[in-house]
Amino acid sequence: MMKTGTSLAGVPKATAVVLTLCVLCLLLGLASYSRVQSFFMSRANDEGVADLRLVSVTIEQLIGRYDPIPALIAGDPEFRELLIDPSRADMVPLMNEKLRHLARDVGASDIYVMNRSGRTIAASNYREERSFIGERFDYRPYFLHAAAGEATRYHALGTTSGERGFFFSAPILDGLEVVGVLAVKIPVDPLEDLWRANDREIFVSDLNGVIFLSTDSSLLFRTLEPLTRGVRQRIEETRQFPLSVLESLSFSVTGGGEDPVEVLLGEPGEERRFLSDSASLVLPGWHATVLQPMRLIQTRTLFALATWGLVVLVLTLAMLTIIQWRARLAERMEHERSQRETLEVMVRERTADLDAANTSLRSEIEERKAAETRLRKTQAELVQAGKLAALGQMSAALSHEINQPLAGIKSYAENAAQYLERKRYDEVGTNISHISKMIDRVARISAHLRNFARRPGDQLSAIPVSEVIAESVELVRPHTRRNEAEIVFVRPDQEIWAIGGRLRLQQVMVNVLTNAIDAMRDQARRVVEITASDRGEYVEVRVRDTGTGLPENEEELIFEPFFTTKQVGSGMGLGLSISFNIIRDFGGSLSAANHPDGGAEFLVTLKKAYAPAGLVAE
Ligand code: ADP
């Protein structure tokens, strides 16, 4: 918690540091403007020096290439022949054609032959409108020098063609005598095309400071310094340039020495600043100058600084994003951690609750078990108590049943004694046999009672249902007789066997039959009908009476312990409760309902036994 708190608190601090760094870097950029500019200036300077080298080399190559050509061509004897023998004028067309081919081969714009007086008698451009044939060039220094026997080179604006060119000339000799001059004119445009580039201008000025070559055509024929009268006169005489095109260039120069030279070019108000580099050329008095716009250098400087600024800003942005991202990540982790903690607390609480619930459930189970044990014990005691109660009820009835045979036995015994005195042995025998039967009857009743009173075992076996019912009917016979009731039991042809305890079923049947007889006490018709039937898996025993029926709205209660509608002393309300449990222990069921035609009907359902196992004693 503490750790995350610190990292979150650190966010504004880190942001402030990054922003301060960013501002410092930007300020540093601004402060280093002049340094950056001088770097680009020096780079431009280097480029300028390279350009100057290019100019110098190309001019040297041009001169080196064309210098020997006029003399070579002039050596052709046919030209000499044509010049010294006017009758050979027929050679002119052939010579013209020869010159045309030569001009094309050496890359010259024109090659032409002049006679001693400077008139052109053969020319490579003989076919063209601007043909030199017949033209006089005796005013041109290149003619004058060659006519004086000296090969020379010259530059001028063509008077016929109006195109600038370098002129190379050589004398045509007949022995030592100059009979004519051969001149080769080379165009200058290819040179300029070679030097031309977007970001700078190059110009070349001649001995007089006249710009003769320039990548910027507006600078052509501008003069770098005012021409002296003598120079102007010479230019006019040689018709090197029309004087009208020679205008002085307005410019001012700053710097120099160690510092780069800066040139301000143009009319006031429209000046452009350039970084200037100059060098002398192989031609005497000629200079080449490279002008690089300062605007370009400034743009490069600004661009570099802007790039620096952009990089600083992008880095700042990236760092701020990373700081934010880290903060958000820390926040999320903190959130997840607190959620996890809450969850853990909840889980702990729930676990504690569950433990408590478990403990209370366990103690409840223990209690239930103890209660069940108590209940079972009480139930067992109640069964015994119920049995004793039933026994008590029965004993009252049975005492009559036993007293009767006893009285009979007594009177038969007294009679037998009298018959013995009278020696009437036959009658004595008959009486004794009566006595014996009556004793059997008493013994039978006593045997039943003894069995009934005995606590049954838990053992289950196959029991003959019809036989048990018949015995039960027999047991309640005194009660039936006393209440002047009738029990009808039609025994099925075949014995039906069921799972249970013989005496316990007897106890149930005695209880149900006794209740039925009790319920019919005040009825006119007092009949109990018993049916036993095989229902496949089950055996059904129905006991229907013509009594009052089950107490209204309390049908369900009759199986509850101590529920009785009988007078105090007559019933304990345990009989049906015990019977219910006994039948349930057999795996069967005991239920009761009122019959639609009156009276109650009890239904005992038992599991059917398939293998008769004979009588089972309990
Ligand atoms: P007790 O016989 O001691 O009353 P029981 O558990 O045997 O106890 O019977 C409970 C009650 O069920 C009886 O008091 C009686 O109201 C009712 N009862 C039982 N059998 C019948 C029946 N065949 N017809 C009407 N009521 C009956």
Side-chain angles (χ1 to χ4, degrees), residues 393 511-512 515-520 543 545 547-551 557-560 562-566 570-578 594 599-602:
Q393 272 176 324
N511 188 251
V512 170
N515 278 342
I517 290 161
D518 287 347
M520 295 190 300
V543 180
D545 61 47
T548 51
L550 302 175
L557 294 175
I558 58 169
F559 295 104
E560 294 291 320
F562 303 109
F563 176 84
T564 179
T565 56
K566 293 174 187 170
S570 301
M572 286 175 69
L574 286 172
L576 283 181
S577 163
I578 292 164
N594 281 324
E601 186 175 56
F602 280 74

Side-chain angles (χ1 to χ4, degrees), residues 350-413:
R350 292 270 161 86
T351 312
D353 286 354
L354 275 176
D355 282 351
N358 259 355
T359 314
S360 83
L361 213 64
R362 260 201 297 277
S363 71
E364 215 164 284
I365 289 170
E366 292 300 319
E367 271 174 34
R368 288 271 162 92
K369 270 185 188 161
E372 212 172 274
T373 315
R374 277 203 302 280
L375 195 71
R376 284 199 184 283
K377 202 175 154 207
T378 314
Q379 244 174 12
E381 283 167 7
L382 278 175
V383 169
Q384 198 59 20
K387 220 160 31 176
L388 289 173
L391 197 65
Q393 272 176 324
M394 279 197 301
S395 63
L398 286 172
S399 64
H400 169 76
E401 198 68 7
I402 292 167
N403 282 344
Q404 214 184 12
L406 279 179
I409 288 166
K410 190 179 179 206
S411 80
Y412 278 127

Side-chain angles (χ1 to χ4, degrees), residues 5 10 19 50 111 152 159 175 180 262 283 366 368 393 400-402 514 518 567:
L19 286 176
I111 304 179
T152 187
T159 48
E262 278 181 50
L283 296 166
E366 292 300 319
R368 288 271 162 92
Q393 272 176 324
H400 169 76
E401 198 68 7
I402 292 167
T514 309
D518 287 347
Q567 286 169 350

Side-chain angles (χ1 to χ4, degrees), residues 451-559:
N451 284 341
F452 194 79
R454 205 172 69 199
R455 194 183 172 96
D458 291 338
Q459 200 187 350
L460 297 179
S461 57
I463 48 170
V465 176
S466 303
E467 202 177 307
V468 174
I469 293 170
E471 282 170 3
S472 307
V473 171
E474 196 58 34
L475 275 171
V476 296
R477 191 167 298 287
H479 194 59
T480 317
R481 199 176 301 141
R482 204 168 45 249
N483 286 286
E484 295 175 345
E486 187 189 351
I487 297 176
V488 181
F489 174 46
V490 183
R491 277 181 80 154
D493 295 337
Q494 279 199 327
E495 184 54 275
I496 305 169
W497 295 83
I499 304 282
R502 187 178 183 135
L503 286 177
R504 278 181 285 170
L505 180 61
Q506 209 175 60
Q507 185 182 343
V508 171
M509 289 311 296
V510 164
N511 188 251
V512 170
L513 289 173
T514 309
N515 278 342
I517 290 161
D518 287 347
M520 295 190 300
R521 195 166 281 157
D522 299 327
Q523 303 298 102
R525 187 163 178 266
R526 294 183 286 275
V527 181
V528 180
E529 275 177 20
I530 306 173
T531 54
S533 33
D534 185 341
R535 295 269 180 241
E537 293 275 300
Y538 290 93
V539 175
E540 255 182 28
V541 178
R542 287 177 186 273
V543 180
R544 189 196 155 189
D545 61 47
T546 56
T548 51
L550 302 175
E552 220 173 306
N553 300 328
E554 292 177 329
E555 290 92 340
E556 294 300 316
L557 294 175
I558 58 169
F559 295 104

Side-chain angles (χ1 to χ4, degrees), residues 406-432 434-435 438:
L406 279 179
I409 288 166
K410 190 179 179 206
S411 80
Y412 278 127
E414 282 168 0
N415 285 346
Q418 283 175 10
Y419 283 135
L420 201 64
E421 275 174 20
R422 291 174 202 164
K423 304 206 192 303
R424 289 168 62 178
Y425 297 112
D426 288 346
E427 281 84 353
V428 170
T430 312
N431 276 13
I432 285 170
H434 282 308
I435 286 166
M438 283 179 175

